[in-house]
Amino acid sequence: MAKIKAAINGTKKDAILKKAASLFRAKGFKASSMRELALKIGIEAPSLYNHIGGKSELLQEICFKVAGDFNNQLAELEASPDSVVSQLEQLIRFHIAMMMESFDEVYVSNHEWKYLEEPMLTDFLQQRKQYETRMVQLLNKGISNKELKNVHPQVAVLTILSAVRGLEFWQRYKKEIDADVLASNMVNHLLTGLRK
Amino acid sequence: MAKIKAAINGTKKDAILKKAASLFRAKGFKASSMRELALKIGIEAPSLYNHIGGKSELLQEICFKVAGDFNNQLAELEASPDSVVSQLEQLIRFHIAMMMESFDEVYVSNHEWKYLEEPMLTDFLQQRKQYETRMVQLLNKGISNKELKNVHPQVAVLTILSAVRGLEFWQRYKKEIDADVLASNMVNHLLTGLRK
DNA sequence: CCTACCGATCGGTAGG
DNA sequence: CCTACCGATCGGTAGG
């Protein structure tokens, strides 16, 4: 009984989170009102508070879910026996897949995190920083074992992360450019410039 | 007399625009209040309206100034006799310089344009689209004359623009990474993957 | 899940 | 450039 209720609440809250991600992406966190979110769901604004703690909780859950997904994927790759170049390619392709499958959530995580409240804001930024650090270590490994050119690893990580982040503009090109073509081109562009 | 007054108003308005760009970048357009902007300048909020038309006018002027600067630079490059690779390098370096010199303004133009009101919003997006189109034409020229590999020009433009846009994160690394090192590394990363 | 409502804050104006 | 102020909208609560 409690289980069923939890499941029902879960799906309802998930539905709210989904709509919130869509709204926050389209209008920005601060410009999105709880009334508008409620309207999209088909209830009155005060009824939202039966399922969620508040507006800022919605942002938190979106941002930390995305951060967790990326952290988990990177951890999985780090444990794999693949070459550094292969790991980099897989990571880039994962970013592409995330952008395709969870566009709203990734976009919100990338653009609206600054409205997180402390101490979550600090936590989130630390997770980001650590993700970058681990990527730098991956590149350093590739430089050591001669897979990669002797590039500046921090700059290369920044370039890669910035480029994949730009995938958010792909929405506009969805009909014109095939996703696989896009992915292969970007992977080649980013890696052929690094590969020895 | 009118000239002097205009000059005085000009500098005062410019000072407001500068502070507005800084505030909008740090907090976002919607989360920035005119009261806070006034506080930063040292006057009361209603006094702002002696120098500016309103909050949305501030955003407009920031966004269109930046867009105009980029358009002008691209036009200048298009008229030059340099090779495509050289033009691309100069364009990338211009993006880097803009990010260094007008960080707040470029950041706001990249992140807050969605709060522009019509018809300026449409105008702004058209200018962006046209900028991309002209870059695609530049790459096509380079592909035709065998300077560049046979890449997908739209994807390559997207990758380049996304990467240079990521320069906004450089603020964090300013002390660790020299600007010239950064610029050279990114140019190499982006071009060596393209160059035949 | 709803109606009724509250205190806070917003962009901007009136009038001097 | 200021004081005084307004109508609109916000996130959220009370009470059922």
Side-chain angles (χ1 to χ4, degrees):
Chain A
M1 178 72 165
K3 211 174 184 177
I4 293 170
K5 185 159 178 267
I8 292 169
N9 282 348
T11 54
K12 187 70 183 232
K13 182 169 183 179
D14 286 345
I16 294 175
L17 277 168
K18 195 77 194 160
K19 293 279 189 188
S22 167
L23 184 62
F24 293 170
R25 180 200 59 76
K27 309 195 70 169
F29 178 72
K30 286 288 181 180
S32 299
S33 75
M34 297 303 275
R35 283 159 174 82
E36 191 171 0
L37 178 58
L39 190 69
K40 280 198 164 195
I41 293 171
I43 59 177
E44 295 298 319
S47 301
L48 287 170
Y49 293 86
N50 291 316
H51 303 100
I52 61 165
K55 189 184 181 186
S56 53
E57 187 200 270
L58 292 172
L59 182 63
Q60 276 168 48
E61 299 215 13
I62 293 166
C63 290
F64 281 90
K65 173 68 165 59
V66 170
D69 286 350
F70 279 112
N71 285 335
N72 290 341
Q73 173 67 16
L74 184 52
E76 197 175 302
L77 279 177
E78 286 167 339
S80 90
D82 299 338
S83 70
V84 169
V85 167
S86 170
Q87 284 181 42
L88 273 178
E89 172 164 355
Q90 288 176 66
L91 194 61
I92 293 170
R93 288 190 181 276
F94 182 73
H95 275 264
I96 295 172
M98 280 288 287
M99 199 61 89
M100 298 287 179
E101 291 159 21
S102 306
F103 173 67
D104 291 328
E105 287 79 5
V106 174
Y107 188 100
V108 168
S109 174
N110 280 340
H111 286 80
E112 309 295 326
W113 56 262
K114 65 174 137 184
Y115 301 113
L116 288 170
E117 296 166 2
E118 294 292 3
M120 282 76 68
L121 176 60
T122 298
D123 182 6
F124 182 83
L125 289 177
Q126 275 174 351
Q127 284 193 41
R128 286 228 160 179
K129 183 72 190 163
Q130 207 192 21
Y131 189 87
E132 276 181 39
T133 302
R134 287 156 73 192
M135 278 191 69
V136 167
Q137 286 165 354
L138 183 62
L139 262 77
N140 274 328
K141 186 183 160 196
I143 293 167
S144 294
N145 72 13
K146 315 288 186 191
E147 275 189 75
L148 302 181
K149 287 185 194 170
N150 191 26
V151 295
H152 192 300
Q154 283 186 62
V155 176
V157 165
L158 210 58
T159 303
I160 292 171
L161 286 179
S162 300
V164 294
R165 186 178 154 156
L167 299 174
E168 67 191 34
F169 300 110
W170 291 7
Q171 286 275 109
R172 299 203 312 250
Y173 299 98
K174 260 187 175 169
K175 291 135 201 163
E176 303 169 42
I177 307 179
D178 180 73
D180 288 336
V181 171
L182 203 55
S184 298
N185 269 273
M186 185 170 275
V187 166
N188 279 340
H189 189 162
L190 291 173
L191 288 185
T192 310
L194 284 178
R195 216 170 192 166
K196 196 167 238 178
Chain B
M1 178 72 162
K3 209 176 189 177
I4 292 170
K5 184 155 179 274
I8 291 169
N9 284 348
T11 54
K12 186 70 181 229
K13 182 168 184 179
D14 286 346
I16 294 174
L17 278 167
K18 195 78 194 159
K19 293 279 188 188
S22 168
L23 184 64
F24 293 170
R25 180 199 58 78
K27 309 196 68 169
F29 178 71
K30 286 288 181 180
S32 300
S33 76
M34 297 303 275
R35 284 159 175 82
E36 192 172 358
L37 177 59
L39 191 69
K40 279 198 165 198
I41 294 171
I43 58 177
E44 296 299 318
S47 301
L48 287 170
Y49 293 85
N50 290 316
H51 303 98
I52 61 165
K55 189 184 180 186
S56 53
E57 185 200 271
L58 291 172
L59 182 63
Q60 276 168 47
E61 299 215 13
I62 293 166
C63 290
F64 281 91
K65 172 69 164 59
V66 170
D69 286 350
F70 280 111
N71 285 333
N72 290 340
Q73 173 66 17
L74 184 52
E76 196 174 303
L77 280 176
E78 286 167 339
S80 89
D82 300 337
S83 70
V84 169
V85 168
S86 169
Q87 284 181 42
L88 272 178
E89 172 165 355
Q90 288 175 67
L91 193 62
I92 293 171
R93 289 188 179 276
F94 182 73
H95 276 263
I96 295 172
M98 281 287 287
M99 199 59 89
M100 299 287 180
E101 291 159 21
S102 306
F103 174 67
D104 292 328
E105 288 77 5
V106 174
Y107 188 101
V108 167
S109 175
N110 280 339
H111 286 80
E112 309 296 325
W113 56 261
K114 66 175 133 183
Y115 302 113
L116 288 170
E117 295 166 1
E118 294 292 1
M120 282 76 66
L121 176 60
T122 298
D123 182 6
F124 182 82
L125 289 176
Q126 275 174 350
Q127 284 193 41
R128 285 228 160 179
K129 184 71 190 163
Q130 207 192 21
Y131 189 86
E132 275 180 40
T133 302
R134 286 156 73 191
M135 276 190 70
V136 166
Q137 286 166 352
L138 183 61
L139 262 75
N140 274 329
K141 185 181 161 197
I143 294 167
S144 295
N145 71 13
K146 313 288 186 190
E147 277 190 76
L148 302 180
K149 286 184 193 171
N150 192 25
V151 296
H152 192 300
Q154 282 187 62
V155 176
V157 166
L158 210 57
T159 303
I160 292 171
L161 286 180
S162 301
V164 294
R165 186 180 153 155
L167 300 175
E168 67 192 32
F169 299 110
W170 291 7
Q171 287 274 108
R172 299 203 312 251
Y173 299 97
K174 259 188 175 169
K175 292 135 201 163
E176 304 169 40
I177 307 178
D178 180 75
D180 288 337
V181 171
L182 204 56
S184 299
N185 268 273
M186 184 168 274
V187 165
N188 279 340
H189 189 160
L190 291 172
L191 287 185
T192 309
L194 284 178
R195 215 171 192 166
K196 198 173 237 179

